Amino acid sequence: MAKSLYIDKSKMNVSIKIYPAKNGDCFLVSFWEITTEKKHLLIDCGYVDTFQKYLKDDLIKIGESGGTLEKLILTHIDADHIQGAIRFLKDNNAEKFIAIKEVWHNTYRHLCVQKEGEIDIKQERILQQIIRRGNPQSESKQGEKGISAEQGTTVGALLLQGKYSWNSDFNNQAVCIEQRSEIELKPGTNIYLLSPDKQKLGKLKDLWTDELKRYGANFNSGNAQLYDDAFEMLLSWKIEKAKIAPKPISATKETLEELLKTPFDEDCTATNGSSIAFILQVQDKKILFLADAHPGLIVQSLNEYQNEGTIIFDLIKVSHHGSFGNISRELLHKIDSEKYLISTNGQKHGHPDKETIVHIITRKAGFHRKLYFNYITANSKYFDRKDWKEKYNYSIHYLDQQPYTLTL
C-alpha cells in the first residue's frame, strides 16, 4: 500500500532578503506557515538608494497585499544603517503604503531623564546649529549620488510625526537587556535580546555629553525633540569621523597561519556598543543578528541564553560587516552555523577583515560552512581558493549585488 504524503501545515518557513546596502545593512525577514500570511521584520535600511532602488517597492507590495511590518528595528545610530530609514519614514508618513506595528530605536530620550523647562537661548542656538549641519553627506567611490538623507531630518522626528509605536515593547524606555530580554512575536516565535545593556548605553550617553562640551553646551532641560534631533545628528558626524582611521597592517598578511596569530583587539566605540543584537527563534530555527555589537557582551548574553556548549544557528549575520574587532575567539567558541552572512561592499573600512574569515573557516566542524557575501570584495576573493575550500570544508557564495533571498 502506497504511503500518503503528509504535509506539516504548522511548520514555519523563514526567509531573509539581503539588500545591497553598500557598506551597510538592510534585511527583510519573513516567516509564515502554509496556512497563514507572512509576517515581516525589517532590520536596518542601509542608505537612501537602498530604499529607493530596492526596498520601497517590496514594502509597497507587502502593504498592498494587506501585510504589515511587525517590527522596524534600527540597530544603532550610524549612517549605513539608518539613512535609508529616514527616507522610508518620510515617504511612509506622506503615502502610508505600509503599517508598522512597532519601532525599536534608541535615541537621547531613552538615555537621559529629560527635564521639561526653559532652555537658555545660547544653548538652544547651539542645538539648532548642530541640527542645521544635517546628516553626513556620503558618496560611493564611483561617484554615485543620492545615498544621503535629507539635511535636518532625523529618525526620531519622523517617528513622532508619524505617531508610530516606539519602543513600547520596553515600556517606551531604551531597548536594553535589563529592561526586557525576551519578546514574543507569536506562539513559537520569539526575539531574545543580546545587546545593548545599560552600561553600553551609558557610554553612548557619555560620548554625547563630551561632544556637547566641545560645542560649549552643558544642560539637561528643554524640548525633548530638540535634544533627540541634535543627538542623532551629532553622533552621526562623530561616527563618520571615526571611519577615516587607517586600515591595520594585518590586511597585507599573506598566509592563514599569520592571520590566525593576529592579536584580537575588541571594538570599543560607544556607537557600535549600543547596537541592538538578538536571536530570532522561529520554532526550531535560530538566526543570530549581531548588528555591529561588541563580542564581550554578546558572549555574556549567549551564556545566559544557553550556558553549556556551542550554540548552532541556522544563520549568523556577522557583526560589523566582518570587522575583526567585533568577533573574538571566545565568541566563535560559543557559536557556529552552516551559513554565515557578511554584508558590505568593502568601501571605507576594507571589510570584511581577513582575520575574521580565517577564524570562521578554520574551526573544526562536522558540517560544510557556506559564506554569503552580498558584494565581491578583495578579501572575499582572497579566500575563494579551491585548495582551501576543500581542506577546510567551506564554500563562498556571492549574491550578485542584487536583493537576494535566503530560505531557511
Side-chain angles (χ1 to χ4, degrees), residues 93-375:
N93 286 354
E95 304 169 29
K96 302 187 186 306
F97 50 84
I98 190 168
I100 305 172
K101 291 185 178 180
E102 169 82 3
V103 181
W104 291 4
H105 173 62
N106 288 334
T107 188
Y108 172 83
R109 67 181 59 226
H110 305 111
L111 272 63
C112 305
V113 177
Q114 180 63 42
K115 299 176 182 178
E116 291 296 336
E118 295 295 324
I119 184 172
D120 180 86
I121 295 298
K122 177 184 176 183
Q123 308 296 339
E124 183 175 2
R125 286 175 179 170
I126 293 172
L127 290 181
Q128 294 287 7
Q129 177 187 355
I130 293 170
I131 294 168
R132 282 195 300 271
R133 186 184 186 190
N135 297 284
Q137 290 293 313
S138 302
E139 187 173 324
S140 72
K141 290 183 178 180
Q142 289 76 28
E144 183 177 4
K145 301 288 185 179
I147 69 173
S148 295
E150 290 85 354
Q151 297 303 284
T153 305
T154 65
V155 169
L158 292 167
L159 291 177
L160 292 172
Q161 182 187 94
K163 298 181 180 179
Y164 297 94
S165 176
W166 183 3
N167 288 8
S168 63
D169 286 326
F170 301 87
N171 196 28
N172 301 318
Q173 303 298 311
V175 178
C176 70
I177 57 180
E178 291 90 349
Q179 188 72 25
R180 191 176 179 187
S181 60
E182 182 177 351
I183 296 89
E184 185 180 69
L185 298 175
K186 58 171 293 181
T189 301
N190 300 278
I191 293 176
Y192 298 89
L193 193 66
L194 305 174
S195 169
D197 62 3
K198 288 184 177 179
Q199 182 181 17
K200 297 294 184 185
L201 292 178
K203 290 184 178 180
L204 190 67
K205 178 182 175 181
D206 292 342
L207 174 61
W208 154 257
T209 302
D210 291 344
E211 286 298 296
L212 281 183
K213 288 178 181 177
R214 294 178 61 246
Y215 280 80
N218 186 11
F219 44 83
N220 60 0
S221 67
N223 182 285
Q225 185 175 338
L226 191 65
Y227 280 79
D228 281 347
D229 292 352
F231 178 84
E232 188 174 317
M233 294 293 186
L234 189 60
L235 290 184
S236 69
W237 280 99
K238 179 68 177 177
I239 296 163
E240 287 296 306
K241 183 178 180 181
K243 285 180 178 176
I244 63 174
K247 182 67 182 165
I249 191 65
S250 63
T252 64
K253 294 185 185 294
E254 293 298 328
T255 68
L256 301 189
E257 290 75 16
E258 287 177 314
L259 290 168
L260 286 168
K261 292 177 183 177
T262 304
F264 171 70
D265 186 15
E266 180 163 346
D267 178 8
C268 62
T269 59
T271 47
N272 287 342
S274 72
S275 288
I276 298 171
F278 57 92
I279 299 167
L280 174 63
Q281 184 161 350
V282 183
Q283 289 185 348
D284 61 341
K285 296 182 174 70
K286 296 193 292 290
I287 310 166
L288 183 59
F289 289 99
L290 290 174
D292 290 1
H294 292 167
L297 177 58
I298 297 298
V299 171
Q300 175 184 315
S301 296
L302 287 172
N303 283 330
E304 294 181 8
Y305 173 80
Q306 178 183 306
N307 186 36
E308 298 296 329
T310 301
I311 305 173
I312 305 299
F313 292 93
D314 292 270
L315 175 72
I316 294 172
K317 182 270 169 187
V318 179
S319 182
H320 199 196
H321 321 291
S323 170
F324 188 48
N326 297 82
I327 193 163
S328 63
R329 292 177 179 86
E330 187 180 14
L331 176 57
L332 288 175
H333 180 72
K334 189 66 185 176
I335 63 174
D336 206 350
S337 177
E338 293 183 14
K339 298 182 177 70
Y340 284 81
L341 171 62
I342 298 177
S343 173
T344 185
N345 63 359
Q347 292 183 7
K348 293 188 178 180
H349 302 279
H351 291 155
D353 290 335
K354 290 179 181 177
E355 293 88 343
T356 298
I357 300 175
V358 74
H359 277 87
I360 290 173
I361 65 172
T362 56
R363 290 177 299 152
K364 292 182 179 180
F367 50 76
H368 177 85
R369 292 192 185 92
K370 296 179 181 179
L371 276 60
Y372 292 91
F373 300 89
N374 60 346
Y375 291 87

Side-chain angles (χ1 to χ4, degrees), residues 45 90 289:
C45 296
K90 184 175 181 180
F289 289 99

